[in-house]
Amino acid sequence: MDSLLPAIPAKRYFTIGEVGELCGVKPHVLRYWEQEFTQLRPVKRRGNRRYYQRHEVMMIRRIRGLLYDQGFTISGARNKLMELTQGERQIMRSGAFLDDTLEDNSAQLEASADMSQEEVASDSETPRPAHLYLRSDLSVYQELMQIRLLLTV
């Protein structure tokens, strides 16, 4: 999905037309999604013009993926997004990424970051952090662990 879409430029605000091009969605669809998904709240300025921030563009891409690529209905996508955001909030509240005990297990983190999804799923003896069970997208976890390892070196 994201490989077919253009890269998001380093800007603070995007117009509805720019977001439409970046996400492969027409502006009237974006306006409709604002009504259906409470997470989308673009800034409105002069003449009710909408300006989206980077995190909203990423959210729109996530919604587009759920609806167009994975075949969710609007209500199904809304529920899935709520599950994902609740899971992310639980991860942040638990401090799993900031926990010092994770630093003590850097070798284990390196190994799990290099594993494929199949290897992680089949490896039942290796204890996994709780947030792995909440995230359906293991590649994001792997990328975060690689970044964390780079930062701790």
Side-chain angles (χ1 to χ4, degrees):
M1 167 190 75
D2 288 335
S3 62
L4 302 175
L5 298 173
I8 302 172
K11 289 174 54 176
R12 184 168 173 100
Y13 293 105
F14 301 89
T15 64
I16 194 167
E18 291 172 327
V19 174
E21 290 177 14
L22 290 172
C23 299
V25 179
K26 295 191 177 189
H28 71 272
V29 175
L30 292 172
R31 288 189 291 271
Y32 175 69
W33 285 357
E34 286 176 32
Q35 297 171 1
E36 296 296 325
F37 298 95
T38 58
Q39 297 92 336
L40 293 178
R41 292 187 205 125
V43 176
K44 290 188 181 177
R45 292 195 182 150
R46 289 173 267 139
N48 241 3
R49 294 174 71 96
R50 292 164 168 82
Y51 291 94
Y52 295 85
Q53 294 182 31
R54 183 178 185 83
H55 70 276
E56 290 166 328
V57 175
M58 293 171 64
M59 178 67 68
I60 291 168
R61 285 186 171 190
R62 190 182 237 179
I63 291 169
R64 181 188 184 278
L66 290 172
L67 295 174
Y68 295 171
D69 299 336
Q70 296 180 24
F72 280 82
T73 62
I74 293 281
S75 65
R78 187 183 310 121
N79 292 338
K80 183 69 172 177
L81 278 177
M82 284 199 293
E83 286 176 17
L84 291 173
T85 53
Q86 286 175 353
E88 290 168 356
R89 285 183 190 143
Q90 288 175 352
I91 291 168
M92 297 310 263
R93 284 186 191 137
S94 69
F97 291 113
L98 303 174
D99 192 5
D100 291 336
T101 60
L102 287 178
E103 290 177 12
D104 297 337
N105 300 326
S106 61
Q108 181 182 353
L109 288 173
E110 270 183 29
S112 68
D114 293 334
M115 292 176 129
S116 69
Q117 288 182 345
E118 294 82 21
E119 289 173 322
V120 171
S122 66
D123 188 14
S124 60
E125 293 182 9
T126 305
R128 291 182 275 173
H131 61 280
L132 267 183
Y133 296 103
L134 301 173
R135 296 296 304 240
S136 62
D137 188 4
L138 186 58
S139 63
V140 172
Y141 170 76
Q142 291 171 339
E143 190 174 343
L144 285 172
M145 290 300 104
Q146 290 171 352
I147 292 169
R148 183 181 175 94
L149 288 172
L150 289 172
L151 292 174
T152 57
V153 171

